[in-house]
């Protein structure tokens, strides 16, 4: 977000524009891969919105010639482009399709040459494939929910193969992922749990990955059924605590515990204890 700018024209520094923008955190791919899939999906979703805007901006289709992670920052969990020095609105001129050749390290593409002598959608296609090779292929499939993997594979493959006609169609696919991710997954719970209202287990933590808490196992769930499913999948899990905190998609944060020996009153939490035979 642009907060202000200053144009300076002097003998020492002619034609200089200084801008003041919001402060973002540098994008570190290794750190992103250690975050929850939900947070990584949010970053990809914000990137899709950016791709859609670049393809339909008031200036026309804009391409980022230096489309790499170092050109982006994270602001409140959203991905934003910070370096516009290499942005261009010029579509490549051509006399035949062979002039519309795009070369990347892994594969190449040839786009059609329009009757106006311009390579059709080259700016948009360049942005889309760079988003695929630098972001989507790493952030989307890694530790994704099993129920979403077929749809995510379809989206990732489509962007990598340029099967989509434009970014708007890719954008239309993303809300369905977001909706499905927050929908209830109806499964029967095999284990029985005793519900303890207004209660919390302060200790008995164990670490899991990915977790929203570095000293414990704090994950997001849609409902109690999903929390039971997660607890059953960890051999050390003997109880879990529903908090009143939610993630950006509205999913509830839950602490998973390795014992329930010490339960304390807490009006904002509900504890579920696994009943042993």
């Amino acid at each position: 977000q642009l907060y202000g700018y200053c144009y300076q024209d002097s003998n020492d520094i002619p034609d200089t524009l200084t801008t003041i923008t919001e402060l973002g955190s540098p994008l570190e791919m290794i750190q992103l891969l250690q975050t929850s899939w939900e947070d990584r999906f949010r970053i990809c979703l914000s990137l899709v919105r950016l791709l859609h805007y670049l393809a339909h901006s008031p200036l026309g289709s804009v391409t980022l010639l230096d489309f790499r992670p170092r050109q982006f920052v994270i602001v409140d969990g959203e991905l934003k482009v910070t370096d516009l020095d290499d942005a261009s609105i010029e579509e490549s001129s051509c006399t035949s399709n062979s002039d519309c050749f795009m070369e990347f390290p892994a594969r190449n593409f040839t786009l059609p040459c329009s009757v106006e002598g311009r390579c059709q959608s080259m700016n948009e296609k360049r942005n889309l494939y760079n988003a695929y090779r630098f972001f989507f292929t790493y952030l989307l499939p890694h530790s994704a929910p099993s129920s979403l993997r077929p749809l995510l594979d379809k989206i990732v493959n489509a962007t990598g193969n340029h099967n989509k006609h434009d970014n708007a169609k890719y954008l239309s696919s993303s809300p369905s992922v977001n909706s499905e991710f927050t929908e209830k997954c109806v499964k029967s719970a095999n284990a029985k749990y005793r519900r303890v209202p207004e209660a919390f287990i302060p200790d008995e933590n164990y670490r899991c990955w990915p977790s929203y808490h570095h000293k414990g196992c704090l994950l997001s769930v849609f409902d109690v059924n999903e929390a039971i499913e997660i607890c059953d999948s960890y051999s050390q899990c003997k109880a879990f605590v529903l908090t009143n905190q939610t993630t950006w998609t509205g999913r509830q944060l839950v602490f998973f515990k390795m014992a329930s020996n010490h339960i304390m009153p807490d009006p904002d939490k509900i504890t579920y204890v696994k009943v042993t035979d």
Side-chain angles (χ1 to χ4, degrees):
Q1 182 178 348
L2 180 67
Y3 290 137
Y5 61 91
C6 177
Y7 177 76
Q8 180 180 352
D9 187 7
S10 64
N11 294 331
D12 297 331
I13 311 176
D15 300 327
T16 297
L17 181 68
T18 301
T19 61
I20 299 92
T21 62
E22 61 185 334
L23 182 64
S25 302
L27 193 150
E28 299 290 344
M29 193 61 67
I30 299 299
Q31 293 180 2
L32 288 182
L33 291 174
Q34 296 173 348
T35 62
S36 69
W37 183 86
E38 192 174 358
D39 288 341
R40 284 184 274 117
F41 172 69
R42 183 182 186 183
I43 290 173
C44 290
L45 189 59
S46 61
L47 178 55
V48 168
R49 296 190 181 108
L50 174 63
L51 291 172
H52 182 70
Y53 176 81
L54 291 175
H56 305 90
S57 81
L59 298 176
S61 182
V62 179
T63 187
L64 302 179
L65 299 176
D66 191 12
F67 197 117
R68 285 182 286 181
R70 68 183 185 185
Q71 308 287 47
F72 297 85
V73 294
I74 303 294
V75 180
D76 296 329
E78 301 278 343
L79 186 72
K80 298 193 177 186
V81 63
T82 185
D83 192 343
L84 297 174
D85 291 347
D86 297 306
S88 174
I89 60 174
E90 295 296 328
E91 294 278 16
S92 299
S93 59
C94 58
T95 56
S96 65
N97 291 349
S98 60
D99 296 329
C100 301
F101 182 73
M102 289 198 304
E103 185 176 5
F104 295 97
R107 62 180 307 171
N108 305 320
F109 301 93
T110 299
L111 301 178
C113 180
S114 68
V115 294
E116 292 83 9
R118 296 289 179 181
C119 296
Q120 292 185 14
S121 304
M122 179 169 278
N123 287 347
E124 181 181 4
K125 299 294 186 182
R126 183 184 290 111
N127 289 340
L128 186 59
Y129 189 78
N130 280 328
Y132 157 79
R133 71 190 185 106
F134 285 120
F135 292 95
F136 299 144
T137 190
Y138 297 109
L139 300 182
L140 275 180
H142 181 59
S143 70
S146 56
S147 61
L148 295 182
R149 284 172 187 166
L151 179 57
L152 293 173
D153 289 342
K154 186 181 299 184
I155 291 175
V156 172
N157 290 336
T159 56
N161 295 327
H162 276 183
N163 290 339
K164 299 290 182 182
H165 293 297
D166 55 36
N167 287 338
K169 290 189 177 181
Y170 179 83
L171 185 65
S172 67
S173 300
S174 296
S176 67
V177 180
N178 193 18
S179 175
E180 187 172 348
F181 183 64
T182 56
E183 283 179 0
K184 179 179 180 180
C185 179
V186 181
K187 293 184 179 179
S188 60
N190 297 324
K192 293 182 179 179
Y193 288 78
R194 177 170 57 91
R195 184 176 184 270
V196 185
E198 298 185 357
F200 177 64
I201 303 174
D203 302 313
E204 310 295 351
N205 291 314
Y206 66 90
R207 293 183 179 181
C208 66
W209 186 90
S211 174
Y212 288 92
H213 194 280
H214 68 283
K215 291 185 178 180
C217 187
L218 180 63
L219 303 174
S220 67
V221 303
F222 179 84
D223 60 4
V224 175
N225 287 335
E226 187 176 354
I228 291 174
E229 180 185 358
I230 293 175
C231 191
D232 287 344
S233 67
Y234 287 97
S235 59
Q236 64 266 53
C237 184
K238 305 301 179 184
F240 59 86
V241 181
L242 300 180
T243 73
N244 60 355
Q245 296 176 295
T246 59
T247 65
W248 68 279
T249 58
R251 288 167 60 88
Q252 193 169 11
L253 289 177
V254 176
F255 274 108
F256 293 88
K257 304 288 185 173
M258 61 190 303
S260 57
N261 299 324
H262 186 204
I263 299 180
M264 295 183 59
D266 191 321
D268 297 325
K269 297 178 177 63
I270 301 174
T271 294
Y272 285 77
V273 179
K274 184 179 290 187
V275 178
T276 57
D277 297 332

